[in-house]
Coordinates of all heavy atoms in Angstrom, one line a residue:
L1 N 16.4 10.0 -22.1 CA 17.2 11.2 -22.3 C 16.3 12.2 -23.1 O 15.5 11.7 -23.9 CB 18.4 10.9 -23.2 CG 19.5 10.1 -22.5 CD1 20.5 9.6 -23.5 CD2 20.2 11.0 -21.4
H2 N 16.4 13.4 -22.8 CA 15.6 14.4 -23.5 C 16.3 15.8 -23.4 O 17.3 16.0 -22.7 CB 14.2 14.6 -22.8 CG 14.3 15.1 -21.4 ND1 14.6 14.4 -20.3 CD2 14.1 16.4 -20.9 CE1 14.6 15.1 -19.2 NE2 14.3 16.4 -19.6
R3 N 15.8 16.7 -24.2 CA 16.2 18.1 -24.2 C 15.0 18.9 -23.8 O 13.9 18.6 -24.2 CB 16.7 18.5 -25.6 CG 17.9 17.8 -26.1 CD 18.2 18.2 -27.5 NE 19.0 17.2 -28.2 CZ 20.4 17.1 -28.1 NH1 21.0 18.0 -27.3 NH2 21.0 16.2 -28.8
D4 N 15.2 20.0 -23.0 CA 14.1 20.8 -22.6 C 13.9 21.9 -23.7 O 14.8 22.2 -24.4 CB 14.4 21.5 -21.3 CG 14.6 20.5 -20.2 OD1 13.9 19.4 -20.2 OD2 15.4 20.8 -19.3
G5 N 12.7 22.4 -23.8 CA 12.4 23.5 -24.8 C 12.6 24.9 -24.2 O 11.8 25.7 -24.3
S6 N 13.8 25.1 -23.5 CA 14.0 26.3 -22.8 C 15.4 26.8 -23.1 O 16.3 26.1 -23.6 CB 13.9 26.1 -21.3 OG 14.8 25.2 -20.8
L7 N 15.7 28.1 -22.8 CA 17.0 28.6 -22.9 C 17.9 28.1 -21.8 O 19.0 27.6 -22.1 CB 16.9 30.2 -22.8 CG 18.3 30.9 -22.9 CD1 18.9 30.7 -24.3 CD2 18.0 32.4 -22.7
L8 N 17.4 28.1 -20.6 CA 18.1 27.5 -19.5 C 17.1 26.7 -18.7 O 15.9 27.0 -18.6 CB 18.6 28.6 -18.5 CG 19.9 29.4 -19.0 CD1 20.2 30.5 -18.0 CD2 21.1 28.5 -19.2
S9 N 17.6 25.6 -18.1 CA 16.8 24.8 -17.2 C 17.6 24.7 -15.8 O 18.8 24.8 -15.8 CB 16.7 23.4 -17.8 OG 16.0 23.4 -19.0
F10 N 16.8 24.4 -14.8 CA 17.5 24.3 -13.5 C 16.7 23.4 -12.6 O 15.5 23.2 -12.8 CB 17.7 25.6 -12.8 CG 16.5 26.3 -12.4 CD1 15.9 26.1 -11.1 CD2 15.8 27.2 -13.2 CE1 14.8 26.8 -10.7 CE2 14.7 27.9 -12.8 CZ 14.1 27.6 -11.6
N11 N 17.3 22.8 -11.6 CA 16.6 22.1 -10.5 C 17.3 22.4 -9.2 O 18.5 22.7 -9.2 CB 16.5 20.6 -10.8 CG 17.8 19.9 -10.8 OD1 18.5 19.8 -9.9 ND2 18.1 19.3 -12.0
V12 N 16.5 22.5 -8.2 CA 17.0 22.8 -6.8 C 16.6 21.6 -5.9 O 15.4 21.2 -5.9 CB 16.4 24.1 -6.3 CG1 16.9 24.3 -4.8 CG2 16.7 25.2 -7.2
L13 N 17.5 21.0 -5.2 CA 17.2 19.9 -4.3 C 16.6 20.5 -3.0 O 17.2 21.3 -2.3 CB 18.5 19.1 -3.9 CG 18.3 17.9 -3.0 CD1 17.3 16.9 -3.7 CD2 19.6 17.3 -2.7
L14 N 15.4 20.1 -2.7 CA 14.6 20.6 -1.6 C 14.8 19.8 -0.3 O 14.7 20.4 0.8 CB 13.1 20.6 -2.0 CG 12.7 21.5 -3.2 CD1 11.2 21.4 -3.5 CD2 13.2 22.9 -3.0
N15 N 15.1 18.6 -0.4 CA 15.3 17.8 0.8 C 16.7 17.4 1.0 O 17.5 17.5 0.0 CB 14.3 16.6 0.9 CG 14.5 15.6 -0.2 OD1 14.9 15.9 -1.3 ND2 14.1 14.4 0.1
R16 N 17.1 16.8 2.1 CA 18.5 16.4 2.4 C 18.8 15.3 1.5 O 18.0 14.4 1.2 CB 18.6 16.0 3.8 CG 18.5 17.2 4.8 CD 18.7 16.7 6.2 NE 18.3 17.7 7.1 CZ 19.2 18.5 7.8 NH1 20.5 18.4 7.6 NH2 18.7 19.5 8.6
E17 N 20.1 15.3 1.0 CA 20.6 14.2 0.2 C 20.6 12.9 0.9 O 20.7 11.8 0.3 CB 21.9 14.6 -0.5 CG 23.0 14.9 0.5 CD 23.0 16.3 1.0 OE1 22.1 17.1 0.9 OE2 24.0 16.7 1.6
T18 N 20.5 12.9 2.2 CA 20.5 11.6 3.0 C 19.1 11.0 3.0 O 19.0 9.9 3.5 CB 21.0 11.9 4.4 OG1 20.2 12.9 5.0 CG2 22.4 12.4 4.5
A19 N 18.1 11.7 2.5 CA 16.7 11.2 2.5 C 16.5 10.2 1.4 O 15.4 9.6 1.3 CB 15.7 12.3 2.4
F20 N 17.4 10.0 0.5 CA 17.3 9.1 -0.6 C 18.6 8.5 -1.1 O 19.7 9.1 -0.7 CB 16.6 9.8 -1.8 CG 17.3 11.0 -2.3 CD1 18.3 10.9 -3.3 CD2 17.1 12.3 -1.7 CE1 19.0 12.0 -3.7 CE2 17.8 13.4 -2.2 CZ 18.7 13.2 -3.2
E21 N 18.5 7.5 -1.8 CA 19.8 6.9 -2.5 C 19.6 7.0 -4.0 O 18.5 6.7 -4.5 CB 20.0 5.5 -2.0 CG 20.4 5.4 -0.5 CD 20.6 3.9 -0.1 OE1 20.7 3.1 -1.0 OE2 20.5 3.7 1.1
G22 N 20.6 7.3 -4.7 CA 20.6 7.5 -6.1 C 20.2 8.9 -6.5 O 20.6 9.8 -5.7
G23 N 19.5 9.1 -7.5 CA 19.1 10.4 -7.9 C 20.2 11.2 -8.6 O 21.2 10.7 -8.9
G24 N 19.9 12.4 -8.9 CA 20.8 13.3 -9.6 C 20.3 13.5 -11.1 O 19.3 12.9 -11.5
T25 N 21.1 14.2 -11.8 CA 20.8 14.4 -13.2 C 22.0 13.9 -14.1 O 23.2 14.3 -13.8 CB 20.6 15.9 -13.5 OG1 19.6 16.4 -12.7 CG2 20.2 16.2 -15.0
Y26 N 21.7 13.0 -15.0 CA 22.7 12.5 -15.9 C 22.8 13.3 -17.1 O 21.8 13.7 -17.8 CB 22.3 11.0 -16.3 CG 23.2 10.5 -17.4 CD1 24.5 10.0 -17.1 CD2 22.8 10.4 -18.7 CE1 25.3 9.5 -18.0 CE2 23.6 9.8 -19.7 CZ 24.9 9.4 -19.3 OH 25.7 8.9 -20.3
F27 N 24.0 13.7 -17.5 CA 24.3 14.5 -18.7 C 25.1 13.6 -19.7 O 26.2 13.2 -19.4 CB 25.1 15.7 -18.4 CG 24.3 16.7 -17.6 CD1 24.4 16.8 -16.2 CD2 23.5 17.6 -18.2 CE1 23.7 17.7 -15.4 CE2 22.7 18.5 -17.4 CZ 22.8 18.5 -16.1
K28 N 24.5 13.4 -20.8 CA 25.1 12.4 -21.8 C 26.5 12.9 -22.3 O 27.4 12.1 -22.4 CB 24.2 12.2 -23.0 CG 24.7 11.3 -24.0 CD 23.7 10.8 -25.0 CE 24.2 9.9 -26.0 NZ 25.1 8.8 -25.7
D29 N 26.6 14.2 -22.7 CA 27.9 14.7 -23.2 C 29.0 14.5 -22.2 O 30.2 14.3 -22.7 CB 27.8 16.2 -23.6 CG 26.9 16.4 -24.8 OD1 26.6 15.4 -25.5 OD2 26.5 17.6 -25.1
M30 N 28.8 14.6 -20.9 CA 29.8 14.4 -19.9 C 29.9 12.9 -19.5 O 30.8 12.5 -18.8 CB 29.6 15.3 -18.7 CG 29.6 16.7 -19.0 SD 29.5 17.8 -17.5 CE 28.2 17.1 -16.6
D31 N 28.8 12.1 -19.8 CA 28.7 10.8 -19.3 C 28.9 10.7 -17.8 O 29.6 10.0 -17.2 CB 29.7 9.8 -20.0 CG 29.3 8.3 -19.7 OD1 28.1 8.0 -19.5 OD2 30.3 7.5 -19.7
R32 N 28.1 11.6 -17.1 CA 28.2 11.8 -15.7 C 26.9 12.2 -15.0 O 26.1 12.9 -15.6 CB 29.2 13.0 -15.5 CG 29.5 13.3 -14.0 CD 30.5 14.4 -13.9 NE 30.5 14.8 -12.5 CZ 30.7 16.0 -12.1 NH1 30.9 17.0 -13.0 NH2 30.6 16.3 -10.8
V33 N 26.7 11.7 -13.8 CA 25.6 12.0 -13.0 C 26.0 13.1 -12.1 O 27.0 13.0 -11.3 CB 25.0 10.8 -12.2 CG1 23.9 11.3 -11.3 CG2 24.6 9.7 -13.1
V34 N 25.3 14.2 -12.1 CA 25.6 15.4 -11.2 C 24.6 15.3 -10.0 O 23.4 15.3 -10.2 CB 25.4 16.7 -11.9 CG1 25.6 17.9 -10.9 CG2 26.5 16.8 -13.0
Q35 N 25.1 15.2 -8.8 CA 24.3 15.2 -7.6 C 24.6 16.4 -6.8 O 25.8 16.8 -6.7 CB 24.6 13.9 -6.8 CG 24.2 12.6 -7.5 CD 24.5 11.4 -6.8 OE1 25.6 11.2 -6.2 NE2 23.5 10.5 -6.7
I36 N 23.5 17.0 -6.3 CA 23.7 18.3 -5.6 C 23.2 18.1 -4.1 O 22.5 17.1 -3.8 CB 22.9 19.4 -6.3 CG1 21.5 19.1 -6.5 CG2 23.6 19.8 -7.6 CD1 20.7 20.2 -7.1
K37 N 23.5 19.1 -3.3 CA 23.1 19.0 -1.9 C 21.9 19.9 -1.7 O 21.6 20.7 -2.5 CB 24.3 19.5 -1.0 CG 25.5 18.6 -1.1 CD 26.5 19.0 -0.1 CE 27.7 18.1 -0.3 NZ 28.4 17.8 0.9
Q38 N 21.2 19.7 -0.6 CA 20.0 20.4 -0.3 C 20.3 21.9 -0.4 O 21.2 22.5 0.1 CB 19.5 20.1 1.1 CG 18.2 20.8 1.5 CD 17.8 20.5 2.9 OE1 18.6 20.2 3.8 NE2 16.5 20.6 3.1
G39 N 19.4 22.6 -1.2 CA 19.5 24.1 -1.4 C 20.3 24.5 -2.5 O 20.3 25.6 -3.0
D40 N 21.1 23.5 -3.1 CA 22.0 23.8 -4.2 C 21.1 23.6 -5.5 O 20.1 23.0 -5.5 CB 23.2 22.9 -4.3 CG 24.2 23.2 -3.3 OD1 24.1 24.3 -2.6 OD2 25.1 22.4 -3.1
S41 N 21.6 24.2 -6.6 CA 20.9 24.1 -7.9 C 21.9 23.6 -9.0 O 23.1 23.8 -8.9 CB 20.3 25.4 -8.3 OG 21.3 26.4 -8.6
C42 N 21.3 23.0 -9.9 CA 22.0 22.5 -11.1 C 21.4 23.3 -12.3 O 20.2 23.1 -12.5 CB 21.9 21.0 -11.3 SG 22.7 20.4 -12.8
V43 N 22.2 24.1 -13.0 CA 21.7 24.9 -14.1 C 22.4 24.5 -15.3 O 23.6 24.3 -15.3 CB 22.0 26.4 -13.8 CG1 21.4 27.3 -14.9 CG2 21.4 26.8 -12.5
H44 N 21.6 24.3 -16.4 CA 22.2 23.9 -17.7 C 21.4 24.5 -18.9 O 20.3 24.8 -18.7 CB 22.3 22.4 -17.8 CG 21.0 21.7 -17.7 ND1 20.2 21.4 -18.7 CD2 20.3 21.2 -16.6 CE1 19.1 20.8 -18.4 NE2 19.1 20.7 -17.0
P45 N 22.1 24.6 -20.0 CA 21.3 25.0 -21.2 C 20.2 24.0 -21.5 O 20.4 22.8 -21.3 CB 22.4 24.9 -22.4 CG 23.7 25.0 -21.7 CD 23.5 24.3 -20.3
G46 N 19.0 24.5 -21.9 CA 17.9 23.6 -22.1 C 18.1 22.6 -23.2 O 17.5 21.5 -23.1
N47 N 19.0 22.8 -24.1 CA 19.2 21.9 -25.2 C 20.2 20.8 -24.9 O 20.5 20.0 -25.8 CB 19.5 22.6 -26.5 CG 20.9 23.3 -26.4 OD1 21.5 23.4 -25.4 ND2 21.3 23.9 -27.5
T48 N 20.7 20.8 -23.7 CA 21.6 19.7 -23.3 C 20.9 18.4 -23.1 O 19.9 18.4 -22.4 CB 22.3 20.1 -22.0 OG1 23.0 21.4 -22.2 CG2 23.3 19.1 -21.5
L49 N 21.4 17.3 -23.7 CA 20.8 16.0 -23.5 C 21.0 15.5 -22.1 O 22.1 15.3 -21.7 CB 21.3 15.1 -24.6 CG 20.6 13.8 -24.9 CD1 19.2 14.1 -25.4 CD2 21.3 13.0 -26.0
H50 N 19.9 15.2 -21.4 CA 20.0 14.8 -20.0 C 18.8 14.0 -19.6 O 17.8 13.9 -20.3 CB 20.1 16.1 -19.1 CG 18.9 16.9 -19.1 ND1 18.5 17.7 -20.2 CD2 17.9 17.0 -18.2 CE1 17.3 18.3 -19.9 NE2 17.0 17.9 -18.7
C51 N 18.9 13.4 -18.4 CA 17.7 12.7 -17.8 C 17.9 12.6 -16.3 O 19.0 12.8 -15.8 CB 17.5 11.3 -18.4 SG 18.9 10.2 -18.1
G52 N 16.8 12.4 -15.6 CA 16.9 12.1 -14.1 C 17.5 10.7 -13.9 O 17.2 9.8 -14.6
H53 N 18.3 10.6 -12.9 CA 18.9 9.3 -12.6 C 18.0 8.7 -11.5 O 17.5 9.3 -10.6 CB 20.4 9.6 -12.0 CG 21.2 8.3 -11.9 ND1 21.4 7.7 -10.7 CD2 21.8 7.6 -12.9 CE1 22.2 6.6 -11.0 NE2 22.4 6.6 -12.3
G54 N 17.9 7.4 -11.6 CA 16.9 6.7 -10.8 C 17.2 6.8 -9.3 O 18.3 6.8 -8.8
I55 N 16.1 6.8 -8.5 CA 16.1 6.7 -7.1 C 16.0 5.3 -6.6 O 15.1 4.6 -7.1 CB 14.9 7.5 -6.5 CG1 14.9 9.0 -7.0 CG2 14.9 7.5 -4.9 CD1 16.0 9.8 -6.6
V56 N 17.0 4.8 -5.8 CA 17.0 3.5 -5.3 C 16.2 3.3 -4.1 O 15.5 2.3 -3.8 CB 18.5 3.0 -5.1 CG1 18.6 1.6 -4.6 CG2 19.3 3.2 -6.4
K57 N 16.2 4.3 -3.2 CA 15.6 4.2 -1.9 C 15.2 5.7 -1.4 O 15.9 6.6 -1.7 CB 16.5 3.6 -0.9 CG 16.0 3.4 0.5 CD 17.0 2.8 1.4 CE 16.5 2.7 2.8 NZ 17.5 2.2 3.7
G58 N 14.0 5.8 -0.8 CA 13.6 7.1 -0.3 C 12.9 7.9 -1.3 O 12.5 7.5 -2.4
T59 N 12.8 9.2 -1.0 CA 12.1 10.2 -1.9 C 13.0 11.4 -2.1 O 13.5 11.9 -1.1 CB 10.8 10.6 -1.3 OG1 10.0 9.4 -1.1 CG2 10.0 11.5 -2.3
R60 N 13.1 11.8 -3.3 CA 13.9 13.0 -3.7 C 12.9 14.1 -4.1 O 12.1 13.9 -5.0 CB 14.9 12.7 -4.8 CG 15.7 13.8 -5.4 CD 16.6 13.3 -6.5 NE 17.3 14.4 -7.2 CZ 17.2 14.6 -8.5 NH1 16.4 13.9 -9.2 NH2 17.9 15.6 -9.0
Y61 N 13.0 15.3 -3.5 CA 12.1 16.4 -3.9 C 13.0 17.5 -4.5 O 13.9 17.9 -4.0 CB 11.4 17.0 -2.6 CG 10.4 16.0 -2.0 CD1 10.7 15.3 -0.9 CD2 9.1 15.9 -2.6 CE1 9.8 14.4 -0.3 CE2 8.2 15.1 -2.0 CZ 8.6 14.3 -0.9 OH 7.6 13.5 -0.3
V62 N 12.6 17.8 -5.8 CA 13.3 18.9 -6.5 C 12.3 19.9 -7.0 O 11.2 19.6 -7.4 CB 14.2 18.3 -7.6 CG1 15.3 17.5 -7.1 CG2 13.3 17.5 -8.6
L63 N 12.8 21.1 -7.1 CA 12.0 22.2 -7.8 C 12.7 22.3 -9.2 O 13.9 22.5 -9.2 CB 12.2 23.5 -7.0 CG 11.6 24.7 -7.7 CD1 10.1 24.7 -7.9 CD2 12.1 26.0 -7.0
V64 N 11.9 22.2 -10.2 CA 12.4 22.3 -11.6 C 11.9 23.5 -12.2 O 10.7 23.8 -12.1 CB 12.1 21.0 -12.4 CG1 12.6 21.1 -13.8 CG2 12.6 19.8 -11.7
G65 N 12.7 24.3 -12.9 CA 12.3 25.5 -13.6 C 13.0 25.7 -14.9 O 14.0 25.0 -15.2
F66 N 12.3 26.5 -15.7 CA 12.8 26.7 -17.1 C 12.8 28.2 -17.4 O 11.9 28.9 -16.9 CB 11.9 26.0 -18.1 CG 11.7 24.6 -17.8 CD1 10.6 24.1 -17.1 CD2 12.6 23.7 -18.2 CE1 10.4 22.8 -16.8 CE2 12.5 22.3 -17.9 CZ 11.3 21.9 -17.2
L67 N 13.8 28.7 -18.0 CA 13.9 30.1 -18.4 C 14.0 30.3 -19.9 O 14.7 29.7 -20.6 CB 15.2 30.7 -17.8 CG 15.5 32.2 -18.1 CD1 14.5 33.1 -17.5 CD2 16.9 32.5 -17.8
N68 N 13.1 31.2 -20.3 CA 13.1 31.6 -21.8 C 13.2 33.1 -21.8 O 12.9 33.8 -20.8 CB 11.8 31.1 -22.5 CG 11.8 29.6 -22.7 OD1 12.8 29.1 -23.3 ND2 10.9 28.9 -22.2
A69 N 13.6 33.6 -22.9 CA 13.7 35.1 -23.1 C 13.3 35.4 -24.5 O 13.5 34.6 -25.4 CB 15.1 35.5 -22.8
K70 N 12.8 36.6 -24.6 CA 12.5 37.1 -26.0 C 12.8 38.6 -26.0 O 12.6 39.3 -25.0 CB 11.1 36.7 -26.5 CG 10.0 37.6 -26.1 CD 8.7 37.1 -26.7 CE 7.6 38.1 -26.5 NZ 6.3 37.6 -27.0
K71 N 13.2 39.1 -27.1 CA 13.5 40.5 -27.2 C 12.2 41.3 -27.3 O 11.3 40.9 -28.1 CB 14.4 40.7 -28.4 CG 14.9 42.1 -28.6 CD 15.8 42.2 -29.8 CE 16.4 43.6 -29.9 NZ 17.3 43.8 -31.0
L72 N 12.1 42.4 -26.6 CA 10.9 43.2 -26.6 C 11.0 44.2 -27.7 O 12.1 44.7 -28.0 CB 10.7 43.9 -25.3 CG 10.4 43.1 -24.1 CD1 10.3 44.0 -22.8 CD2 9.1 42.4 -24.2
T73 N 9.9 44.6 -28.3 CA 9.9 45.7 -29.3 C 10.0 47.0 -28.4 O 9.7 47.0 -27.2 CB 8.7 45.7 -30.1 OG1 7.5 45.9 -29.2 CG2 8.5 44.4 -30.9
N74 N 10.3 48.1 -29.1 CA 10.4 49.3 -28.4 C 9.0 49.7 -27.7 O 9.0 50.2 -26.6 CB 10.8 50.5 -29.3 CG 12.3 50.4 -29.6 OD1 13.1 49.8 -28.8 ND2 12.8 51.0 -30.7
D75 N 7.9 49.4 -28.5 CA 6.6 49.7 -27.9 C 6.3 48.9 -26.7 O 5.8 49.4 -25.7 CB 5.5 49.5 -29.0 CG 5.6 50.5 -30.1 OD1 6.1 51.6 -29.9 OD2 5.1 50.2 -31.2
A76 N 6.7 47.6 -26.7 CA 6.4 46.7 -25.6 C 7.3 47.2 -24.4 O 6.8 47.1 -23.2 CB 6.7 45.3 -25.9
A77 N 8.5 47.6 -24.6 CA 9.4 48.0 -23.6 C 8.9 49.2 -22.9 O 9.0 49.4 -21.7 CB 10.8 48.2 -24.1
K78 N 8.2 50.1 -23.6 CA 7.7 51.4 -23.1 C 6.6 51.1 -22.1 O 6.3 51.9 -21.2 CB 7.2 52.3 -24.2 CG 8.4 52.9 -25.0 CD 7.8 53.7 -26.1 CE 8.9 54.2 -27.1 NZ 8.4 54.9 -28.2
T79 N 5.8 50.0 -22.2 CA 4.7 49.7 -21.4 C 5.2 49.1 -20.0 O 4.4 49.0 -19.1 CB 3.7 48.8 -22.0 OG1 4.3 47.5 -22.3 CG2 3.2 49.4 -23.3
L80 N 6.4 48.7 -20.0 CA 6.9 48.1 -18.7 C 7.4 49.2 -17.8 O 8.0 50.2 -18.2 CB 8.1 47.2 -19.0 CG 7.8 45.9 -19.8 CD1 9.1 45.2 -20.1 CD2 6.8 45.0 -19.1
S81 N 7.2 49.0 -16.5 CA 7.7 50.0 -15.6 C 8.1 49.3 -14.3 O 7.4 48.3 -13.9 CB 6.7 51.1 -15.3 OG 5.5 50.5 -14.7
C82 N 9.1 49.7 -13.7 CA 9.6 49.1 -12.4 C 9.5 50.2 -11.4 O 9.9 51.4 -11.6 CB 11.0 48.6 -12.5 SG 11.2 47.3 -13.8
H83 N 9.0 49.9 -10.2 CA 8.9 50.8 -9.1 C 9.6 50.3 -7.9 O 9.7 49.2 -7.7 CB 7.4 51.1 -8.7 CG 6.6 51.6 -9.9 ND1 6.7 52.9 -10.3 CD2 5.8 51.0 -10.8 CE1 5.9 53.1 -11.3 NE2 5.3 51.9 -11.6

């Protein structure tokens, strides 16, 4: 079990859920394994206690990402531009 060092964390299942057995993300507070389908994502606060659930058979491919944010100063915001 671990906590991520991010504001938000996410994972996206890249292959079909029929390509493996087991898997998913276990969340301690819910005492539940969340399993998603190909192309779906599981998003949670980074400080949520969680872990990957074991794969029994096959291979599970996931894209994992982390989102952090910080407030920009007025000077930093002025240097940003969108076109």
Side-chain angles (χ1 to χ4, degrees):
L1 290 167
H2 68 276
R3 299 177 198 276
D4 299 328
S6 60
L7 180 63
L8 288 175
S9 300
F10 68 89
N11 63 63
V12 178
L13 182 59
L14 299 178
N15 60 332
R16 293 180 191 257
E17 58 276 13
T18 56
F20 59 91
E21 292 178 18
T25 305
Y26 172 75
F27 293 96
K28 182 162 176 49
D29 290 346
M30 297 188 311
D31 192 28
R32 179 174 169 220
V33 175
V34 174
Q35 294 178 316
I36 57 178
K37 297 183 182 215
Q38 183 180 28
D40 288 349
S41 65
C42 177
V43 181
H44 59 88
N47 65 354
T48 301
L49 198 56
H50 67 285
C51 66
H53 195 255
I55 304 296
V56 178
K57 180 180 177 185
T59 303
R60 175 179 175 241
Y61 293 100
V62 293
L63 170 69
V64 178
F66 308 98
L67 173 70
N68 286 306
K70 84 177 187 183
K71 188 175 181 178
L72 294 176
T73 64
N74 284 339
D75 289 338
K78 289 176 188 174
T79 64
L80 296 176
S81 65
C82 298
H83 301 281

